[in-house]
Amino acid sequence: MSKILLEHGTGAGKSAKLINDIFIKNLGNNILNQLEDASVFKAPQNMVMSTDSFTVKPIFFKGGDIGKLAIAGTCNDVAVMGAKPLYLSAAFIIEEGFLISDLEKIAISMKEELQKNQALIITGDTKVVPTGTADGIFINTTGVGEIVKPGISASAVKEDDVIIVSGTVGDHGSLIFASREGIDIKSELSSDCASLWPLIRKLVEEDIEIHSMRDATRGGLSAVLNEWAHQSNIGLYVHEEKIPLSDETRGICELLGFEPYHLACEGTFILAVKKEDAEKALEICKKDELGKNASVIGRAINEYNKKVILETGMGTKRVFETPSGLLLPRIC
Amino acid sequence: MSKILLEHGTGAGKSAKLINDIFIKNLGNNILNQLEDASVFKAPQNMVMSTDSFTVKPIFFKGGDIGKLAIAGTCNDVAVMGAKPLYLSAAFIIEEGFLISDLEKIAISMKEELQKNQALIITGDTKVVPTGTADGIFINTTGVGEIVKPGISASAVKEDDVIIVSGTVGDHGSLIFASREGIDIKSELSSDCASLWPLIRKLVEEDIEIHSMRDATRGGLSAVLNEWAHQSNIGLYVHEEKIPLSDETRGICELLGFEPYHLACEGTFILAVKKEDAEKALEICKKDELGKNASVIGRAINEYNKKVILETGMGTKRVFETPSGLLLPRIC
């Protein structure tokens, strides 16, 4: 099978062929195909920019791969700011010896995910490093988008806001953990890796006052809620039994003693909306396949400043802290 | 000495402290400091976008380091499109065990280089991977800029255009090669790593018809000229003795049998300008410290389509090809 050679990263000869055969073939468009070092585009006035490097291991997993994740992840970071993802860059660091057929699988996943966002990769970079100086493939994507609904921010949660979660939490984290540890998953557990723009578009195009929106990636639900409480200088009150969980993630967490709320999601987002608009927002989510498990999990309160309070099923309360000791590197 | 731990990449706790102590301290600004997953900015209408991942080895070298290179390299790719670099993303993949003091040195270099471009990092990402799965540090920067002079393109070279090189060629490549091979450099050889915008700004603000402009990075001068000849469907005629070379790079190339024209530059660019404007462009370059060694090296001709012809000092002619066999990975 054909493998990546150092020559594929020289910028000439073999690397030009690789770029044509894999990247232009699958990801090409009028802008990218010009192959300039920098690509020209017409920009709207109000934009956002976001970057992420993806180092996930394993690179192929149930529900996705590093390519799908690299597009969905960056487009989601753009989308949760109330912005339509428009243009992305894609930069690959590939270890010498990587299978070219795997690279093409990844490029095809990226293509499919770009279509869901109606976004384009307009500029790229490919570096090849010697065997042993990287682990397979790392992908950076940086995205820009046009703001459709301005003002969404982690520091904009207000008293009485209703907190909605768009779906089950922790599925990406528990799947990656189980795959890596060789836990035999005789279940339907799959990463929730998905592009959120098709659902978020429906929310931002409606007359709904969205104060904060965030995809719950590293650190999961608890990291997002704690960040909001801290940055918005407010308390958040959450009902544990309202948090959607898949049976599979619940099972793995019980087995291993994890809290699912700390585990990464890659296709679930959290919303803080004005109380009066909560029902409408929930309804829009539930009508969409991606948001069918959406749930109101709590509200913003004028007590417990900068803290998140979790009310358990038994009615007891505890402070819901950010994960600290948990080490799960290369989750995304 | 303090080292990077896996916990520095979890997105919470220790990683928040690292981001504050190193990145916000050195690279902070009103936009970045908001620490949203995506950053909001006002965009001009005509923009360019460029991305590069930097894997250079060694990460500290004479004349620069991976941080300087990561800012200068991406800003230069924006600048050679006739655009003012505005906003950058910076994404770090750091190997567990990397020295935090080295990370801060790199951040300080980035800060200094951003100031030369009057550009800002507005969004970032930090991933930590276990020891042995990366080599020290890899940095991706993606930049957007505002087009000041439109129409500059690798496919826009026209017959009779004059080709100007802004300075000595191959210095970055020969320095990196010599450092890596342990060649004792008892000389002034230094990477030419530099931000080009301060000089390019003077060129694009003048009434000079610039058709093509490119920094000569991977593949050096010969890669740029061959790309132009190919994409502009034209011949380029170059006088070898007019190509500026430092004594040190000439010496290393003679010693090792390299052609300096194939070696990377990181602070030298090539211009194709309308014949009537060549003198003015050369004069602007020569008045600037960065362009003091600028030289007219050739012209575009209506023969030898898609080829670059090199006339040697002895008056003989040869086809000046793109480097093919040369393997010098991790040059940038």
Side-chain angles (χ1 to χ4, degrees), chain A residues 73-121:
Chain A
T74 288
C75 287
N76 290 350
D77 282 346
V78 168
V80 294
M81 294 298 285
K84 159 82 186 78
L86 292 174
Y87 301 116
L88 279 78
S89 62
F92 300 83
I93 297 174
I94 312 174
E95 187 185 12
E96 183 189 11
F98 193 75
L99 288 178
I100 292 181
S101 54
D102 280 350
L103 187 62
E104 180 145 34
K105 271 191 225 166
I106 291 166
I108 291 168
S109 294
M110 293 175 85
K111 176 188 185 173
E112 290 169 359
E113 217 53 30
L114 283 164
Q115 284 165 349
K116 291 177 194 160
N117 290 283
Q118 292 174 282
L120 299 174
I121 287 177

Side-chain angles (χ1 to χ4, degrees), chain A residues 116-243:
Chain A
K116 291 177 194 160
N117 290 283
Q118 292 174 282
L120 299 174
I121 287 177
I122 60 167
T123 187
D125 179 50
T126 306
K127 295 275 155 57
V128 179
V129 297
T131 307
T133 59
D135 190 12
I137 188 167
F138 299 146
I139 303 177
N140 174 280
T141 50
T142 303
V144 293
E146 177 175 14
I147 296 177
V148 177
K149 191 178 279 281
I152 295 173
S153 161
S155 54
V157 184
K158 286 171 192 63
E159 191 182 344
D160 288 336
D161 275 1
V162 169
I163 312 294
I164 298 172
V165 168
S166 73
T168 56
V169 305
D171 293 338
H172 180 73
S174 57
L175 183 273
I176 293 293
F177 188 84
S179 319
R180 215 183 294 161
E181 299 299 310
I183 296 171
D184 190 17
I185 313 165
K186 290 194 183 60
S187 73
E188 293 303 305
L189 180 62
S190 169
S191 167
D192 61 331
C193 179
S195 287
L196 298 171
W197 174 246
L199 170 52
I200 288 178
R201 185 173 62 80
K202 296 177 190 168
L203 291 165
V204 296
E205 284 177 2
E206 282 289 331
D207 185 23
I208 294 173
E209 203 174 307
I210 301 172
H211 294 151
S212 301
M213 186 156 54
R214 187 63 69 93
D215 53 335
T217 55
R218 279 187 291 182
L221 175 67
S222 63
V224 172
L225 294 179
N226 274 285
E227 194 178 337
W228 286 0
H230 195 83
Q231 290 204 34
S232 296
N233 201 19
I234 206 159
L236 297 177
Y237 197 93
V238 174
H239 301 270
E240 187 170 24
E241 81 278 11
K242 302 280 190 191
I243 301 172

Side-chain angles (χ1 to χ4, degrees), chain A residues 6-13 34-55 57 77-78 80-81 87-93 122-130 132-135 138-145 147 152-155 214-215 217-219 223 227 231 322-330 332, chain B residues 6-13 34-55 57 77-78 80-81 87-93 122-130 132-135 138-145 147 152-155 214-215 217-219 223 227 231 322-330 332:
Chain A
L6 287 173
E7 284 168 271
H8 284 118
T10 54
Q34 289 171 28
L35 294 176
E36 302 278 353
D37 270 1
S39 295
V40 175
F41 65 99
K42 288 276 172 202
Q45 199 182 7
N46 296 304
M47 298 193 84
V48 298
M49 183 181 200
S50 186
T51 191
D52 253 318
S53 287
F54 296 86
T55 62
K57 185 176 185 174
D77 282 346
V78 168
V80 294
M81 294 298 285
Y87 301 116
L88 279 78
S89 62
F92 300 83
I93 297 174
I122 60 167
T123 187
D125 179 50
T126 306
K127 295 275 155 57
V128 179
V129 297
T133 59
D135 190 12
F138 299 146
I139 303 177
N140 174 280
T141 50
T142 303
V144 293
I147 296 177
I152 295 173
S153 161
S155 54
R214 187 63 69 93
D215 53 335
T217 55
R218 279 187 291 182
E227 194 178 337
Q231 290 204 34
T322 313
S324 59
L326 184 72
L327 281 185
L328 198 49
R330 304 185 60 186
C332 60
Chain B
L6 286 174
E7 284 169 272
H8 285 118
T10 54
Q34 289 171 29
L35 294 176
E36 302 278 354
D37 270 2
S39 295
V40 175
F41 66 99
K42 287 278 173 202
Q45 200 183 4
N46 296 304
M47 298 193 84
V48 298
M49 183 181 201
S50 185
T51 190
D52 253 318
S53 287
F54 296 86
T55 62
K57 185 178 186 174
D77 282 347
V78 168
V80 294
M81 295 297 285
Y87 300 117
L88 278 78
S89 62
F92 299 83
I93 298 174
I122 61 168
T123 187
D125 178 51
T126 306
K127 294 275 156 53
V128 179
V129 297
T133 59
D135 190 12
F138 299 145
I139 303 176
N140 175 280
T141 51
T142 303
V144 293
I147 297 177
I152 295 174
S153 162
S155 55
R214 188 61 69 92
D215 53 334
T217 54
R218 280 187 292 182
E227 194 177 337
Q231 291 205 34
T322 315
S324 59
L326 185 71
L327 281 185
L328 198 51
R330 303 185 61 187
C332 59

Side-chain angles (χ1 to χ4, degrees), chain A residues 256-267:
Chain A
L256 299 168
F258 287 162
E259 288 230 62
Y261 323 124
H262 295 339
L263 294 179
C265 317
E266 289 292 346

Side-chain angles (χ1 to χ4, degrees), chain B residues 71-81 117 194-197 215 266-267:
Chain B
I71 301 300
T74 288
C75 287
N76 289 350
D77 282 347
V78 168
V80 294
M81 295 297 285
N117 290 283
S195 286
L196 298 172
W197 174 245
D215 53 334
E266 289 292 347

Side-chain angles (χ1 to χ4, degrees), chain B residues 267-278:
Chain B
T268 297
F269 63 102
I270 330 287
L271 269 169
V273 296
K274 197 179 167 190
K275 189 181 172 185
E276 291 75 13
D277 294 339

Side-chain angles (χ1 to χ4, degrees), chain B residues 33-296:
Chain B
N33 296 1
Q34 289 171 29
L35 294 176
E36 302 278 354
D37 270 2
S39 295
V40 175
F41 66 99
K42 287 278 173 202
Q45 200 183 4
N46 296 304
M47 298 193 84
V48 298
M49 183 181 201
S50 185
T51 190
D52 253 318
S53 287
F54 296 86
T55 62
V56 66
K57 185 178 186 174
I59 56 172
F60 297 98
F61 50 84
K62 205 164 161 190
D65 60 40
I66 192 171
K68 181 180 181 183
L69 195 58
I71 301 300
T74 288
C75 287
N76 289 350
D77 282 347
V78 168
V80 294
M81 295 297 285
K84 159 82 185 77
L86 292 173
Y87 300 117
L88 278 78
S89 62
F92 299 83
I93 298 174
I94 312 174
E95 187 185 12
E96 184 188 10
F98 193 76
L99 288 178
I100 292 180
S101 54
D102 280 349
L103 187 63
E104 180 146 34
K105 271 191 225 168
I106 290 166
I108 291 168
S109 294
M110 294 175 84
K111 175 188 185 174
E112 291 170 358
E113 217 53 30
L114 283 163
Q115 285 166 347
K116 291 177 194 160
N117 290 283
Q118 291 174 282
L120 299 174
I121 287 177
I122 61 168
T123 187
D125 178 51
T126 306
K127 294 275 156 53
V128 179
V129 297
T131 307
T133 59
D135 190 12
I137 188 168
F138 299 145
I139 303 176
N140 175 280
T141 51
T142 303
V144 293
E146 177 175 14
I147 297 177
V148 177
K149 191 178 280 280
I152 295 174
S153 162
S155 55
V157 183
K158 287 172 191 63
E159 191 183 343
D160 288 336
D161 275 2
V162 169
I163 312 295
I164 298 172
V165 168
S166 73
T168 56
V169 305
D171 293 339
H172 180 72
S174 57
L175 184 272
I176 293 294
F177 188 84
S179 319
R180 215 184 291 162
E181 298 300 310
I183 296 171
D184 190 17
I185 313 166
K186 289 195 183 62
S187 72
E188 292 304 305
L189 180 63
S190 170
S191 166
D192 60 331
C193 179
S195 286
L196 298 172
W197 174 245
L199 170 53
I200 288 178
R201 185 173 62 79
K202 295 177 191 167
L203 290 165
V204 296
E205 284 177 0
E206 282 289 331
D207 185 23
I208 294 173
E209 204 174 306
I210 301 172
H211 294 151
S212 301
M213 187 155 54
R214 188 61 69 92
D215 53 334
T217 54
R218 280 187 292 182
L221 175 66
S222 63
V224 172
L225 294 179
N226 274 285
E227 194 177 337
W228 286 0
H230 194 83
Q231 291 205 34
S232 296
N233 201 18
I234 206 160
L236 296 177
Y237 196 93
V238 174
H239 301 271
E240 188 171 24
E241 82 276 10
K242 301 281 189 191
I243 302 172
L245 277 183
S246 68
D247 292 342
E248 294 77 16
T249 291
R250 191 190 303 272
I252 285 186
C253 286
E254 281 173 2
L255 187 71
L256 299 167
F258 287 161
E259 288 229 62
Y261 323 124
H262 295 339
L263 294 178
C265 318
E266 289 292 347
T268 297
F269 63 102
I270 330 287
L271 269 169
V273 296
K274 197 179 167 190
K275 189 181 172 185
E276 291 75 13
D277 294 339
E279 201 173 325
K280 193 171 177 183
L282 185 68
E283 197 179 307
I284 290 171
C285 288
K286 281 185 159 296
K287 272 189 190 158
D288 191 289
E289 177 63 24
L290 210 60
K292 65 182 178 195
N293 295 313
S295 170
V296 169

